[in-house]
Each structure stands twice: as C-alpha cells, then as structure tokens.
Amino acid sequence: MTPNEKITTNGLRLTAPRKKILAVFSHQAHPISFEEYASLDTTMDKSTFYRNMQTFEAANIIQGIESDEGKRYFELSDTIHPHFVCQQCHNITCLDETPIPKLNGYHVNSITYKGQCPQCSDL
Amino acid sequence: MTPNEKITTNGLRLTAPRKKILAVFSHQAHPISFEEYASLDTTMDKSTFYRNMQTFEAANIIQGIESDEGKRYFELSDTIHPHFVCQQCHNITCLDETPIPKLNGYHVNSITYKGQCPQCSDL
DNA sequence: ATTCTAATGCAACTCAGTTGCAATTAACCT
DNA sequence: AGGTTAATTGCAACTGAGTTGCATTAGAAT
Ligand SMILES: [Mn+2]
Ligand SMILES: [Mn+2]
Ligand SMILES: [Zn+2]
Ligand SMILES: [Zn+2]
C-alpha cells in the first residue's frame, strides 16, 4: 500500500503535512521522536505532528513507543516487531527477527524489552 | 530481606520517608504512580518521592514502568515479571506466571506488553 | 465554482517530573 | 551523650513533552 493509499483508505484527507510525515518516516530504520523528526523536516508544526501521530496510531499507520526518558518514539507499523530500549545509552533497537509471544486472553499489539544493549553490556 | 535492610545494605540512610515509601509499596499488588502513592500517603513530598524512586531504581529496590499515558508507575522489584499495559482501560497487569524470554547479547531487565486486556477485548 | 468540514498553524496552556537551596537529621567519631 | 558533617528533606520555582483553543486554510464532495 502506498503512503497516499494509507491515508485515503482511512477516510483521511490527503494534506501536505501528512504526505511529508509519511515520506520522512518511510526513510527511518528506527523509531524517532518529534525532536528527531523536526531535525529532518524543519518546517513541521509540533501540534500538527502530534495530532497526526494520534490520528495515524488510531488508523494503524504509525506505532508509538515509550522510551525510558519520558518521550514517545514513532515508526511506521508495516512491520510489527519487538523493540529493545537500552537504559544506559537510551538507544531503541528494532528486533526484526524476534517473534512476539502470545498471551492467552490478551490482544498483544507490541512488546518492549528494557535493559542493557550488547554495546553497553560489554564494558 | 527486610525493607530496612534493603535500604542500609545499599549505603543509604534510613530516613522516615524511605521507610514509609517501602511500607506503602509492600502492600501493593500492582505498580502505582506518584498520584496513587500520594493518595495512600498524603504527607509525602513529590520531590522526595521522585528522588527516592531514582535512588531505589539504581539500587534495584524499585522498578519503574512507563505507561501509555506519559506517566511512570513503580513497584518493588523483588519478583521480576512482565507487565501488560492495556491501551484502552490503561490498567497495568502483573503477568506473574509469564516467563521473560532471553535475547542473545542483551541483558534484559524487563518486558512490557501493550494491547487490549481480556476485559477490553471481550466487547 | 460553491459549500462544508477536516485539518493546519500559532500561541497559550498543562502537568509529570526536575532542580536549587536552605533547613534538617542520620550516621559516624570521640 | 554531645559534636561534626555530609546525605536527605521540603518547599518553591522551573522545565519541556505533549495538548488545546481558535481563527484561518484548503481538501473533497456536489
Ligand atoms: Mn522498529
Ligand atoms: Mn508487577
Ligand atoms: Zn546501550
Ligand atoms: Zn483494558
């Protein structure tokens, strides 16, 4: 599905900010915060960004992840996979190959591991 | 290990606020936020609470969990187990029986599942 | 082209968590 | 037991990620 289709099939209007947001996210290999997004698209308004994050999360286009620093990180939700948040260097790693365990009775949307990444463990 | 021992074996001073904090947490079956803590101990100062959460996390006495609402929840870290954060009712469930999967190369401290809990799935 | 309503952009706001600092006090030493 | 000192507390002021109100803009439908 193209970025434009993702927007329109959800009954959302195809606006310039939305197209830009999905274009920027499609080039990311990791979840990014608004701060990082803003460095890649210096004209994006904060409110427009956050409102669209909510809209896109509801439409299952974007997925949000809470870091350990009280910030939210976002990525496209095409490929669903666990994430690892390092409590030392604060990097977020996509665990693309790791399966998401099932939980009886629960509907699991995502998993987040926290701890020390390989780099930070090897000290 | 008694609450007092947890404090003193880490080279921390045995103060009234610290004893109260561990006493309150020892009666909780789920992680709680400062807001909830404050309703159980109305005289606790916010700064004292948060500073001790940091101290206790560093000493592995308390574990913090990020909810999906931009708040942190805390619980004693005696029994380490995964948590489920419901994105609909925002309850946090302790998955006491669920094992924590290993991740090669990573040191995993905790796991958080997000999705819909059984109550919210059954609608 | 006109109309209608969703979405934007800006400024003001919220509120969980942090920080600076003077006052207190637990732990240590004699 | 009393005196010293550095950790901790309590309060008020601050920070900053995210939200909200509202006037303006611009998709989409007819
Ligand atoms: Mn990812
Ligand atoms: Mn728990
Ligand atoms: Zn790391
Ligand atoms: Zn629920």
Side-chain angles (χ1 to χ4, degrees):
Chain A
M1 188 156 22
T2 71
N4 286 7
E5 284 170 348
K6 285 184 191 170
I7 294 172
T8 53
T9 58
N10 283 285
L12 300 172
R13 289 189 181 175
L14 202 55
T15 65
R18 285 178 176 164
K19 285 187 268 191
K20 189 71 194 296
I21 286 171
L22 294 193
V24 170
F25 272 105
S26 71
H27 296 123
Q28 306 310 308
H30 304 284
I32 57 173
S33 64
F34 171 65
E35 189 184 6
E36 290 171 82
Y37 179 92
S39 73
L40 301 169
D41 174 8
T42 52
T43 65
M44 176 61 58
D45 178 71
K46 191 162 61 138
S47 300
T48 302
F49 177 84
Y50 282 118
R51 275 195 282 238
N52 276 309
M53 289 305 102
Q54 291 184 179
T55 303
F56 287 158
E57 280 198 89
N60 244 305
I61 295 170
I62 287 268
Q63 203 212 340
I65 296 160
E66 352 289 329
S67 75
D68 56 335
E69 310 160 286
K71 267 201 220 180
R72 306 198 64 213
Y73 284 69
F74 304 94
E75 74 177 350
L76 291 176
S77 44
D78 331 297
T79 75
I80 186 89
H81 50 252
H83 291 94
F84 188 90
V85 177
C86 179
Q87 294 171 308
Q88 203 160 321
C89 68
H90 306 298
N91 274 139
I92 300 182
T93 313
C94 299
L95 303 170
D96 296 292
E97 309 299 321
T98 310
I100 296 187
K102 297 238 175 278
L103 275 185
N104 244 323
Y106 294 86
H107 177 69
V108 178
N109 290 327
S110 69
I111 294 199
T112 308
Y113 291 80
K114 288 193 337 192
Q116 274 93 248
C117 72
Q119 289 73 43
C120 294
S121 298
D122 285 350
L123 297 183
Chain B
M1 187 153 29
T2 70
N4 286 7
E5 284 170 348
K6 285 183 191 170
I7 294 171
T8 53
T9 58
N10 283 284
L12 300 171
R13 287 192 183 174
L14 201 54
T15 66
R18 285 178 177 163
K19 285 187 267 190
K20 189 71 193 296
I21 286 172
L22 294 193
V24 169
F25 272 105
S26 71
H27 296 122
Q28 306 309 308
H30 305 284
I32 57 173
S33 64
F34 171 66
E35 189 183 6
E36 290 172 81
Y37 179 92
S39 73
L40 302 169
D41 175 7
T42 52
T43 64
M44 177 61 59
D45 178 70
K46 190 163 61 139
S47 299
T48 302
F49 178 85
Y50 282 118
R51 275 194 284 238
N52 276 310
M53 288 306 103
Q54 290 183 179
T55 304
F56 288 159
E57 280 198 88
N60 244 306
I61 295 170
I62 287 267
Q63 204 213 339
I65 296 161
E66 353 289 329
S67 76
D68 56 336
E69 310 160 286
K71 267 200 220 181
R72 306 198 64 217
Y73 284 69
F74 303 95
E75 75 178 348
L76 291 176
S77 44
D78 328 301
T79 74
I80 186 90
H81 51 252
H83 290 95
F84 188 91
V85 177
C86 179
Q87 294 172 308
Q88 203 159 321
C89 68
H90 306 299
N91 273 139
I92 300 182
T93 313
C94 299
L95 302 170
D96 296 292
E97 308 300 321
T98 310
I100 296 185
K102 297 237 176 279
L103 276 185
N104 243 324
Y106 294 86
H107 177 70
V108 178
N109 289 328
S110 68
I111 290 201
T112 307
Y113 292 78
K114 289 195 335 192
Q116 273 93 249
C117 72
Q119 289 72 42
C120 293
S121 299
D122 285 350
L123 297 183

